[in-house]
Every structure is written in structure tokens, then in C-alpha cells.
Amino acid sequence: MIECPSCRHQEFVGTLYCSECGTRLVSVSPVPTVSIARDRIDREAMATKPATPEGPELESGAILGLRLINSGEIRSLLGRDNYTLGRSVEGQAVIPDVDLQASDAYEQGVSRIHAEIRLEADGVYIVDLDSANGTLVNGKALEPQRPALAHHGDIIQLGRLRTQLISRFRSER
Amino acid sequence: MPGEPDYYALLGIPRNANAEQLRRAYREAALRLHPDRANQPGDTELFIQVNKAYEILSSDEQRSAYDLKLAAAEADQAARSSFRCDVQQSRRSLLQLDEPQVHYLLVDITPSESVPEHRPPINLSIVIDRSTSMRGQRLDQVRSAALTILKDMAPGDSASVVAFSDRAEVIVSPDQAKDMATARARLSLLQAGGGTEIGQGLQLGMEELQRNFAREGVNHLVLLTDGRTYGDEDLCLSLADRASEQGITINGVGIGADWSDRLLDDLASRSGGNVIFLDTPKVITGLLQRIFDGLSQAIAGRVRLDGSLAQQVDLRSSFRLMPDPMPLGDSLPLVLGNLTRQGRIRVLLEMVIHPIGQTDELNIAHFTVSGDILGGTSEASSLPVDVRIASARQPDPDPPPGDLVAALNVVGLYRMQEKARHEAELGQSAQAARRLENLATHLLAAGDRDLAKAALSEAERLTHTRRLSIEGEKVLKYGTRALLLLPAKAGGG
């Protein structure tokens, strides 16, 4: 399936105009969006107990960051109060602030603009941006477009890609 | 084609299929069609044919002999055919995917140069709704329009006028139509009154056409109505199917806002005709004259697109773009109507192709274009058309043909309008209104301000009254359909 960039309606590969909103789909990448069976995501996520990250992660100097569970890589989030997470595709107009393409994002079912991390006065929020395969926090699926409070150490799963939130903000503050 | 059934199309495999592909296709077909399984009628016959096909194709010796015969038969038929057919595809190669994909074909049918041009005899029946609502200007205009057409008749032509309310009668018989004074007197007897039963009118109109059926000419029924028929829709549809079998095309003309556009569309689409929406009766004469002129320019009639699709291919929808835009069905054969010397019949096919695995080439379809050459001595002609496509791991980098993109754009707008109407009927008026606003944006981008305005005002009406106006529905439907008549913007037509 491919996704209409304007209304996110799913169409078969090869479709030239979105049947929902009439948008021309020619410029959309002709490769299908990877869909992952729902139950598999949930099972994997449920099996994961969020481990509180210890010293080394925080010593990276990040006030806010994402640790990619598979590779251990840490992406620090600095200088803004919101970050979009996703993957870049050649020729894509809007590139996410945190580009996960190098981490096999496509194969892991990450949408191009998948989710957003927002810093608010009362803590860090995760918002799923109508992604194809959903966003889970500690194994719980987020409702699209509804911000959910997240805490240090929470497992944030984009499609099948697991990351852990590193945050020095105290949401209880 | 005479004598040589196409075994490749039967098994849904490319002509260059290897032994493995052949075996797999045969097994699949044999399993599906095996008499031990619960089957549809006709499956057993297919099963026998599939076995015969496998027997021939699995033997190298028999297969090469068969290939030669098949190629010769097809080349011979193509050379002798009075039709030319050109197929443009949305992509030059399919992707080797494990999921379905969409593929579009733009099929152009034109006459070959060798077809002689004769004005074909016209066998016409004008079927007039004389229900009470037609009283006054509507019936006056229809009466004078009918008279104008009768005046234009050439010697070999035949025409009749039938009127119906809840029953039908012949107002002007083909014999009376030959004499203008009689025809005029008979038409003046035509008075409004009664209900609307389209089936009655259709039936009598078709009987009149059969009486003077012109094998070497066009047989055409024009149905003028301003109202809904009650309770005889099924009769109407079965009559349209019969008309299609007999080679009669039905043209629907809807006057005002109260007629059933869905029924008329269905009648016309089954029989290869067209539907026209008139908001004022004043233009009826001009309209009938255009229809009549169109008929006199036909050089081939009863044109059809038939054939078989590969097993992995489903026809999802089809749309005739030329000469008159008309949504058609999702199964072959497609009934296409008449072909003129300068004109062409253009059809857009949307197909879903199920996972094709690793095959290098897919024989998407084996079509047969058929029809009758008109004028002089009528003769049937047909043309086999093979549509194949390569498949690749990488997407085809070339853009799709401009004509096809332009047509799909407009067909997309047409479908949005259909969806909005459907949603409005389901009570999802907010969604329908949003869709119409979206449609208006696209219409503005396409430069059609009037239609955009109509879409917006219907969207507004939806938010207030939760329904569309019956007139607005038709304005949008036939308005977006008529956009297909405009010269294509992308790539030129």
C-alpha cells in the first residue's frame, strides 16, 4: 500500500490519484508502506519492561534524548521545544527533526512523519501523528493526535522501532 | 478468433511462459475448476478446456505448432480487421510485490483507413414521457424537436415516435413518419397526462425499432423523460440488456431535476448509449439534431470490448471517455456504441493486479474489439488485442502518459462527487460537505468556477439541511462528467 501525503488514505501501489481527496499521487514513492501485523507489535512491546536508563546515558549530556534500543545510539534533542520523529525519503519536502532512516526505519514500519515529542511546562509529551503503524508508550498504543505524557525511561515504540526516552525534566514537577 | 482458442489467455499466462509457470497455472485452474468442488455453472466446460490447453502447451512439439497457428490466425485477423486499437498503460513495468497493485489502461479504438464511408441508414425511435409534469413548455419543445428530426430523415431511414405515461402508444409510426403532414397531425395529438412508467415506453419503442431493424445501420432509441419511474426499474434494466443484445443503443435525456439519473445512466451504460441532463427544455431541438448527426456519421456500430483477463487481474472499474463520457461496468464485455470516421472510442480501465510473484512478464489481458461495419453491406469485424507488461523489482521511473493522467484526474473528481452523494445518503453530511469543499478546490484549480460554486453551495446546503438538492446532484454529476470532453490539459489530447 502507499499513503496519500495529504489525507493519509491508503491506496494500492500504482494508484495515480487518491480516491479520498483527489490528490495526485505520482510523486509519492512507488514502494509500499511497510505494514506490520498489529498483534505482533503489541506482543513485543508488552514483553519489554522499561528499564530505567542508568548513568552512561545521562552522562552523554543530553537533557532530552532518545536511545535507540537496538543500536544503543543516543540522539540528543537540543534547542527546541518540539521534535518530529520519522524517516526521510529522497525528494521529500518535509524532513523530520529526528530522522531515523539510518536505523532501518522503513523496515521497522516508521512513517515519514510518525510522531512528535513536545516539551510543555508540565513535562514531555508524545503525540502520534496518524502514523501507519502507530506509536506505543510502554506497550500502550497512543490515540492519534492526542498528546500523552511520557517519563524518563519510557519505551517509545514507533511501528516496530523501539526507543527509550531520556529526560531530565521531571514530569511531576 | 475462428478455430483457434487462446489457451494462454485461458490459463492466464504469458505467451512465453515456461514449463513451471504453465504447470502452476494449470494446477491452480484445475483445482479451482475441478468438478468435485462447489462450482459455478460453466466451470466444468472450462475445466475441460483447461485440460486440453495443458495437454497442448505442455508438449513442446504441440505447443510450437499451436503457437504458429495462433500467431497466424491473429495476424491475419488483425490485418483484415476494420478496427485499430491502441493501448496505453500507466506504467511500463509492474513491481514484483506480494501485495495487490493498481494498473490503468487507456484503450483507443479507431476505424482502419480501409473502411468505406457510407451514411448508414438510421432506425430511430423517439420515446417521449407524456406524464402530467411534461405539460406546457416541455411537451411543446419535445413535439417540435421530434418534428424537426422527422424532417431530416433520409430515404433509407426509419423513425417512430412513442409516448408513454402509465401506458405507451405509438404516436407516429414509421410509415406515418414518411409524410410530414400526417406526422405533424399525429404529433399534435400528443397530450400530457398520467404517471411515468418508463418500462412501457421502452418496450414499445424497442418493438418499433425491431420492426425496421437495420442490420447495416444504427438502431437507436432516444428516451426523453422528466420524472421517476415507479416500480418497473427491473423491467427497464432487463429491456436495456435485451437492447444491448439486439444492437440497440439507448440515449437518455433527462429534463429538469426530478428524473432518476441512476436509472437512465444504467440503461445507457448497458446499451452503449449516453445520458444528457437538460436544465431547460429549450435546447431539446438542438440536442436531438446533434444526436441525429452523430448517428449519421457512424461507420461502425455495436462496438464491444470483450476478452479475458489474466487470473491475477481484476477489472475494478471502466469509464468510456469518448465519444460520450460514461461510467461503464466492471466486467467484460463493455458495450461501447458507435464509432465515427474522425472519432474514436476511448476507454479507461482500472485494474487491480494481485501478487504476481517473480514472473518477468504478465499477459494482462487478451481483448477482442468487435463491431459491425455499417453502410453498404454490413459485416462483422473483430480485432484481437494482447496487452502485456514486464515486471521488475524497481519502479518504472518514467511518468505515466499525459492523456491517461489527465483523464484519471477528471474521473477522480467525478468519483468524489459520487462519494459525497453516497455519504449524504447515508446521513454522513459533515463528511460529504467536507468532500464537496475539497472537490470545489480541485474544480477551481481546474478553472471551472461555475461547477466549483455549485459544489460549494451544495456543501453549504448539506451543513444546513443535511441533504443535497436533487438538481445540485445532477449539476455536479454531469458537470464533472462533461469535464472529460474538454481537451486534456496534461500532455494534450
Side-chain angles (χ1 to χ4, degrees):
Chain A
M1 304 293 269
I2 52 175
E3 190 182 85
C4 168
S6 132
C7 72
R8 295 176 184 270
H9 187 247
Q10 300 274 315
E11 297 280 0
F12 285 141
V13 171
T15 308
L16 291 183
Y17 283 90
C18 174
S19 67
E20 270 304 295
C21 68
T23 301
R24 171 122 186 233
L25 299 178
V26 175
S27 52
V28 173
S29 151
V31 260
T33 308
V34 176
S35 292
I36 308 165
R38 184 97 257 164
D39 56 342
R40 192 166 150 203
I41 300 177
D42 293 345
R43 215 173 35 244
E44 278 182 22
M46 294 312 278
T48 312
K49 288 256 162 55
T52 311
E54 314 236 333
E57 284 86 359
L58 294 178
E59 277 160 25
S60 67
I63 295 178
L64 191 63
L66 275 184
R67 187 168 73 100
L68 305 177
I69 305 260
N70 274 357
S71 59
E73 184 195 345
I74 295 179
R75 301 284 189 91
S76 33
L77 308 176
L78 273 181
R80 306 179 52 163
D81 49 14
N82 64 65
Y83 303 88
T84 50
L85 313 180
R87 63 180 164 89
S88 65
V89 178
E90 207 178 321
Q92 183 178 330
V94 182
I95 291 173
D97 300 326
V98 180
D99 180 4
L100 300 165
Q101 186 52 40
S103 316
D104 281 348
Y106 174 71
E107 290 74 10
Q108 301 285 338
V110 179
S111 292
R112 272 164 285 190
I113 301 291
H114 193 109
E116 187 181 353
I117 296 183
R118 280 186 205 158
L119 271 65
E120 306 274 354
D122 60 339
V124 181
Y125 285 83
I126 314 288
V127 192
D128 177 68
L129 300 174
D130 282 313
S131 61
N133 294 307
T135 305
L136 292 88
V137 174
N138 293 338
K140 199 162 168 291
L142 298 187
E143 211 177 298
Q145 301 292 1
R146 173 162 300 181
L149 195 61
H151 307 275
H152 178 59
D154 283 354
I155 300 289
I156 298 167
Q157 184 170 338
L158 311 170
R160 205 163 48 189
L161 184 76
R162 295 215 307 264
T163 67
Q164 189 167 26
L165 181 71
I166 301 168
S167 156
R168 271 189 191 161
F169 290 85
R170 293 194 58 90
S171 49
E172 291 79 15
R173 189 173 53 176
Chain B
M1 82 214 52
E4 295 307 330
D6 185 348
Y7 292 140
Y8 293 101
L10 185 67
L11 290 170
I13 51 174
R15 301 257 164 127
N16 61 359
N18 58 31
E20 175 58 24
Q21 282 171 309
L22 170 66
R23 200 173 54 81
R24 238 185 298 140
Y26 165 69
R27 280 198 163 183
E28 193 280 326
L31 273 176
R32 190 165 40 87
L33 300 169
H34 196 277
D36 283 355
R37 292 182 52 161
N39 283 331
Q40 296 168 353
D43 276 3
T44 308
E45 288 73 12
L46 270 176
F47 181 72
I48 296 169
Q49 282 189 47
V50 161
N51 276 300
K52 172 107 163 107
Y54 184 65
E55 190 189 312
I56 291 184
L57 297 185
S58 58
S59 140
D60 286 346
E61 205 174 310
Q62 287 192 55
R63 180 169 171 177
S64 46
Y66 169 74
D67 283 351
L68 284 176
K69 270 199 293 184
L70 183 65
E74 287 188 349
D76 182 47
Q77 200 182 0
R80 278 187 295 110
S81 175
S82 304
F83 297 110
R84 294 284 170 264
C85 182
D86 176 44
V87 179
Q88 300 184 59
Q89 307 195 38
S90 61
R91 290 178 283 169
R92 284 184 315 179
S93 61
L94 296 173
L95 271 173
Q96 292 177 353
L97 284 180
D98 301 328
E99 55 176 280
Q101 46 192 316
V102 167
H103 191 60
Y104 306 96
L105 302 181
L106 192 63
V107 180
D108 277 310
I109 301 167
T110 46
S112 76
E113 263 111 57
S114 64
V115 177
E117 194 166 355
H118 297 288
R119 181 189 181 284
I122 296 173
N123 180 23
L124 178 74
S125 183
I126 304 176
V127 177
I128 299 172
D129 179 351
R130 43 163 270 199
S131 61
T132 316
S133 54
M134 288 289 288
R135 180 168 291 156
Q137 195 197 16
R138 285 181 180 170
L139 203 57
D140 292 344
Q141 294 285 349
V142 168
R143 210 185 275 126
S144 78
L147 201 60
T148 316
I149 296 304
L150 296 184
K151 268 186 215 154
D152 285 353
M153 305 283 293
D157 293 349
S158 151
S160 60
V161 178
V162 168
F164 69 95
S165 51
D166 26 42
R167 58 193 181 84
E169 59 180 322
V170 179
I171 299 291
V172 184
S173 70
D175 284 338
Q176 292 164 334
K178 293 197 166 79
D179 177 57
M180 282 319 291
T182 318
R184 193 187 306 268
R186 294 286 303 167
L187 273 172
S188 69
L189 295 177
L190 176 57
Q191 294 302 330
T196 306
E197 275 186 44
I198 292 180
Q200 303 280 339
L202 273 184
Q203 195 152 19
L204 195 56
M206 280 170 60
E207 279 168 23
E208 288 302 311
L209 285 174
Q210 279 149 27
R211 215 184 296 277
N212 290 292
F213 194 83
R215 184 119 298 283
E216 67 296 344
V218 287
N219 300 277
H220 196 81
L221 189 150
V222 180
L223 170 68
L224 293 141
T225 177
D226 73 340
R228 273 161 201 283
T229 189
Y230 289 100
D232 64 342
E233 285 89 351
D234 290 344
L235 170 67
C236 294
L237 294 178
S238 67
L239 284 169
D241 284 335
R242 200 186 312 156
S244 152
E245 281 161 28
Q246 295 168 344
I248 295 172
T249 44
I250 299 176
N251 226 331
V253 180
I255 307 166
D258 289 326
W259 50 284
S260 163
D261 53 335
R262 288 196 173 126
L263 178 67
L264 257 59
D265 270 354
D266 215 348
L267 297 179
S269 124
R270 286 174 193 228
S271 65
N274 182 31
V275 174
I276 295 158
F277 164 42
L278 294 184
D279 44 7
T280 161
K282 283 186 192 142
V283 288
I284 291 178
T285 304
L287 175 71
L288 279 187
Q289 245 158 352
R290 267 210 311 286
I291 293 174
F292 191 77
D293 289 347
L295 295 176
S296 66
Q297 284 162 18
I299 64 172
R302 304 175 272 282
V303 180
R304 279 164 191 258
L305 186 69
D306 203 350
S308 57
L309 302 175
Q311 279 162 20
Q312 301 95 325
V313 178
D314 275 332
L315 182 59
R316 186 150 81 168
S317 70
S318 65
F319 212 110
R320 186 182 63 201
L321 307 173
M322 291 181 193
D324 301 304
M326 185 85 205
L328 304 173
D330 56 3
S331 60
L332 298 175
L334 301 176
V335 184
L336 299 172
N338 299 328
L339 182 61
T340 60
R341 161 64 75 196
Q342 277 80 29
R344 63 177 62 211
I345 293 177
R346 174 173 272 194
V347 189
L348 178 68
L349 305 177
E350 180 189 18
M351 343 193 92
V352 174
I353 300 183
H354 297 291
I356 49 171
Q358 301 297 313
T359 37
D360 297 331
E361 193 194 53
L362 180 69
N363 195 340
I364 294 182
H366 188 83
F367 290 128
T368 312
V369 176
S370 65
D372 290 339
I373 301 306
L374 305 178
T377 54
S378 156
E379 79 185 272
S381 182
S382 70
L383 170 70
V385 184
D386 238 353
V387 183
R388 298 147 189 275
I389 189 165
S391 83
R393 283 171 208 280
Q394 296 300 319
D396 173 13
D398 287 342
D403 283 3
L404 203 149
V405 173
L408 272 172
N409 182 14
V410 181
V411 169
L413 300 185
Y414 177 79
R415 297 232 190 275
M416 279 171 82
Q417 157 282 130
E418 292 274 84
K419 263 192 182 172
R421 183 167 165 186
H422 185 64
E423 284 163 351
E425 281 164 355
L426 291 177
Q428 302 159 352
S429 47
Q431 207 173 330
R434 234 186 358 260
R435 202 181 290 283
L436 285 179
E437 282 162 10
N438 192 358
L439 173 64
T441 317
H442 285 287
L443 287 170
L444 270 183
D448 199 314
R449 299 179 128 247
D450 291 344
L451 213 50
K453 225 189 257 173
L456 278 181
S457 86
E458 286 302 312
E460 203 169 317
R461 179 186 294 270
L462 264 177
T463 29
H464 290 125
T465 69
R466 304 180 57 84
R467 42 190 346 162
L468 295 164
S469 72
I470 49 171
E471 178 161 26
E473 280 174 359
K474 297 187 178 70
V475 169
L476 290 179
K477 180 186 214 173
Y478 294 98
T480 46
R481 210 183 271 182
L483 291 177
L484 286 164
L485 288 171
L486 301 175
K489 268 195 309 172

